[in-house]
Amino acid sequence: MESDFLETLLLTFKLAFVTTSILLVIGVPISYFLAYTKSKLKPIFETIVSMPLVLPPTVLGFYLLLFFSPESYLGRFLEESIGFKAVFTFEGLVLGSIIFSLPFLVQPIQSGFETIPKSLIEASYTLGKGKLETFFKVLLPNIKPSLITGVVLSFAHTIGEFGVVLMIGGNIPGETKVASIAIYDEVEALNYDIANRYALVLLSVSFLILLIVYTLNKKVRV
Amino acid sequence: MIKIDIKKRLAKDLLLKVNRVIQKGDFLALFGESGAGKTTLLRILSGLERPDEGKIVVEGEVWFDSQTGFNMPVQKRKIGFVFQDYTLFPNMSVYENLLFAKNDRQKADFLLKLIELDKLKDRYPHQLSGGQKQRVALIRALMREPKILFLDEPLSALDVKMRSKLQDELAQIHKRLGVTTILVSHEISEIFKLCNKVFVLEKGEIKKEASPFEIFVEAKVASSFKFDATILDLKEEDFLCVLTLSFGSNIIKSVIPKEEAKELKIGDKVLVSSKAFNPIIQKIEF
């Protein structure tokens, strides 16, 4: 029982960690693009990124299930070509979580980029610095609070998600059974004290994470 | 020598059209009303904006040529640009801001000494006053030994005292380093103090090119003071009329013969002029 409990928590944090790491790599460029694009299609891109904010998680999970199931073309293709299975696997959970947590990372970082005055970027250009150097040495260091907020929010959100995970991951111990599912499971089985332990851990972790964000942001802000 | 021959459409009825030559070492002012295209011209020369057509040649080096389609990117042009709003990088100290422009400690130390800010080199921008920030921005723009230094109303956000100090410093730096400098400014006194040449821009075109003295003194002043005022009050007393006038932030009382006041009423705009024979002039101490 004890090892089961730890295994589930560990899996939950592993999922959050992997999801957030991948999100950071793909989310920061997306935020940069959305903040500076002059494309007329910008509202469409923004809508797509923000969809998970309003969409019921079960809807997203349902479509993922549909698109990636071994019966679908895409699912079969992915499985046969690179051996990627999305349904009822940890990788599938990561994929679902990335899509579902994307707006939580992109929105704070995008608004961080947008608050940087254009003249600061132009100043860097007039000092002979290219776009890449300006991005890493001027932009990123000056939106630290937004970066922290984005990372923590998407991390915390991944820990807490339920609907997508349930739809696409199911409830396989050690593979796809995360804490939020476990709580549901234990309550259904009337194991209130185990459910209570999970709930307490999630509650404390959420509180601590948010506390750290707000303390850090206060310190970092210039 | 800088040869400029460019055109850029700014609005439906506004075409920026400039065909001029600037001599090396000039301290040039771009003067004119807002919307005349001063800042755009500065941005075009620096490479932050692209003209529709034309050519820019700086000391024999082509920076822009619409015929060959060549546009040297802003990063490649040897320029310094000082913006209105300081633009120091908040994540870097004063010293790091300078070294970001060019990793040359000797040069950074020299420039810091020049403006007497060497003691503040480890401070961060938020720990500096507006004047100090702008002085750091100025020497940061000089780190790469620019061929042209662009100043886009750099002192407009500062108070009068700081502005005057910075003007002195700018004049000194220009004298010492001899960098060709182009300043956008609304302030006639500032232009007088700093520049040896003025382009007067009106609706996208340079209407006049001359020294500040020729433009602001000879043309306008005929040994008299003139200013626009509004009549606040008008009181008739015996054969005189007492006028209360406001101009700028001042309110003055003046007396004119009753006859002359006949056509005037409260709220009228009037032109007040006086011969400059015997004014009382005092230096303003800050």
Side-chain angles (χ1 to χ4, degrees), chain A residues 117-131 133-134 137-138 141-142 222, chain B residues 43 48 74-75 77 79 81 83 85 87-92 97 100-101 126 140-141 144:
Chain A
K118 196 173 143 222
S119 56
L120 207 65
I121 301 168
E122 288 183 338
S124 175
Y125 292 168
T126 64
L127 295 171
K129 308 299 168 191
K131 280 192 168 173
E133 198 171 352
T134 304
K137 290 190 177 160
V138 175
N142 285 310
V222 192
Chain B
R43 293 172 61 83
L48 289 171
V74 48
Q75 287 91 349
R77 302 186 185 194
I79 54 157
F81 203 116
F83 296 80
D85 49 350
T87 65
L88 293 184
F89 305 120
N91 57 315
M92 303 177 200
N97 260 285
F100 179 75
H126 73 276
R140 188 182 66 182
R144 295 170 70 223

Side-chain angles (χ1 to χ4, degrees), chain B:
Chain B
M1 197 167 68
I2 301 156
K3 281 191 210 160
I4 310 159
D5 178 12
I6 54 103
K7 279 183 197 163
K8 184 179 174 80
R9 185 149 296 281
L10 303 180
K12 244 183 194 168
D13 54 349
L14 186 60
L15 179 72
L16 181 69
K17 208 170 116 191
V18 176
N19 186 355
R20 298 279 152 160
V21 171
I22 302 167
Q23 297 304 328
K24 197 177 173 186
D26 266 351
F27 201 134
L28 170 77
L30 299 180
F31 180 79
E33 287 180 5
S34 356
K38 306 183 296 284
T39 295
T40 310
L41 179 56
L42 213 60
R43 293 172 61 83
I44 284 175
L45 293 176
S46 63
L48 289 171
E49 267 177 58
R50 193 194 167 105
D52 296 337
E53 56 179 287
K55 199 169 181 179
I56 302 169
V57 183
V58 177
E59 291 171 24
E61 188 180 50
V62 178
W63 280 12
F64 177 79
D65 189 349
S66 59
Q67 271 184 341
T68 59
F70 178 75
N71 184 23
M72 190 189 275
V74 48
Q75 287 91 349
K76 292 268 164 65
R77 302 186 185 194
K78 278 197 96 184
I79 54 157
F81 203 116
V82 180
F83 296 80
Q84 213 169 337
D85 49 350
Y86 315 139
T87 65
L88 293 184
F89 305 120
N91 57 315
M92 303 177 200
S93 69
V94 167
Y95 208 50
E96 285 165 345
N97 260 285
L98 298 179
L99 297 182
F100 179 75
K102 191 181 180 198
N103 197 1
D104 181 344
R105 283 164 189 274
Q106 228 179 339
K107 182 123 202 137
D109 291 330
F110 165 76
L111 288 169
L112 277 168
K113 277 227 175 70
L114 195 67
I115 57 162
E116 295 166 6
L117 279 185
D118 39 332
K119 287 204 181 77
L120 302 183
K121 68 176 191 176
D122 293 322
R123 294 246 182 120
Y124 281 83
H126 73 276
Q127 297 167 309
L128 302 177
S129 72
Q132 288 168 338
K133 277 187 218 174
Q134 203 55 314
R135 286 154 76 199
V136 175
L138 174 67
I139 58 167
R140 188 182 66 182
L142 292 166
M143 280 295 287
R144 295 170 70 223
E145 291 167 21
K147 284 181 180 165
I148 315 176
L149 177 64
F150 297 103
L151 308 170
D152 188 4
E153 298 189 49
L155 311 179
S156 60
L158 304 173
D159 62 51
V160 182
K161 190 178 166 187
M162 201 56 208
R163 205 180 298 172
S164 169
K165 185 175 156 58
L166 250 98
Q167 284 163 359
D168 291 340
E169 238 165 42
L170 263 173
Q172 209 191 359
I173 287 173
H174 183 255
K175 208 170 151 192
R176 205 152 158 188
L177 307 178
V179 188
T180 311
T181 307
I182 305 179
L183 167 79
V184 168
S185 178
H186 288 293
E187 272 226 22
I188 294 176
S189 65
E190 185 168 291
I191 294 173
F192 247 95
K193 205 162 166 181
L194 295 172
C195 305
N196 65 328
K197 197 182 241 181
V198 185
F199 286 177
V200 179
L201 261 119
E202 267 173 51
K203 291 184 183 126
E205 279 182 56
I206 293 175
K207 286 282 155 72
K208 271 182 239 159
E209 173 188 342
S211 73
F213 193 83
E214 284 167 296
I215 284 182
F216 300 118
V217 183
E218 289 181 348
K220 282 192 178 162
V221 182
S223 66
S224 68
F225 298 108
K226 278 183 192 159
F227 50 85
D228 300 326
T230 309
I231 301 176
L232 296 179
D233 191 32
L234 201 149
K235 261 199 201 100
E236 295 190 358
E237 280 173 21
D238 301 331
F239 56 90
L240 286 177
C241 184
V242 181
L243 290 176
T244 309
L245 301 163
S246 88
F247 68 98
S249 57
N250 298 308
I251 292 178
I252 52 163
K253 282 198 173 189
S254 184
V255 182
I256 56 168
K258 226 175 186 174
E259 282 295 303
E260 283 178 28
K262 260 184 188 166
E263 289 174 10
L264 301 176
K265 59 179 188 301
I266 292 172
D268 275 355
K269 296 262 181 217
V270 290
L271 181 70
V272 182
S273 58
S274 163
K275 292 286 178 195
F277 287 142
N278 194 16
I280 300 160
I281 291 174
Q282 279 177 305
K283 185 176 160 68
I284 303 168
E285 301 287 352
F286 293 106

Side-chain angles (χ1 to χ4, degrees), chain A residues 63-136:
Chain A
Y63 280 123
L64 285 175
L65 204 57
L66 223 61
F67 284 128
F68 289 101
S69 85
E71 276 86 56
S72 77
Y73 286 114
L74 184 65
R76 207 179 314 148
F77 171 75
L78 284 176
E79 195 175 337
E80 281 167 10
S81 59
I82 55 170
F84 176 82
K85 269 196 280 185
V87 178
F88 303 128
T89 63
F90 180 74
E91 291 76 27
L93 276 195
V94 171
L95 178 74
S97 305
I98 286 174
I99 297 174
F100 198 55
S101 292
L102 189 64
F104 291 85
L105 184 102
V106 166
Q107 286 193 346
I109 297 178
Q110 182 188 343
S111 69
F113 281 133
E114 281 165 353
T115 53
I116 299 236
K118 196 173 143 222
S119 56
L120 207 65
I121 301 168
E122 288 183 338
S124 175
Y125 292 168
T126 64
L127 295 171
K129 308 299 168 191
K131 280 192 168 173
L132 208 63
E133 198 171 352
T134 304
F135 178 77
F136 282 109

Side-chain angles (χ1 to χ4, degrees), chain A residues 30 34 44-53 99 102-103 106-107:
Chain A
I30 292 177
L34 287 178
I44 295 179
F45 295 130
E46 280 182 312
T47 307
I48 293 172
V49 170
S50 300
M51 277 292 271
L53 285 178
I99 297 174
L102 189 64
V106 166
Q107 286 193 346

Side-chain angles (χ1 to χ4, degrees), chain A residues 24-45:
Chain A
L24 200 59
V25 177
I26 60 172
V28 173
I30 292 177
S31 317
Y32 179 82
F33 169 78
L34 287 178
Y36 296 111
T37 181
K38 284 176 189 138
S39 163
K40 280 180 188 154
L41 299 178
K42 180 179 169 178
I44 295 179
F45 295 130

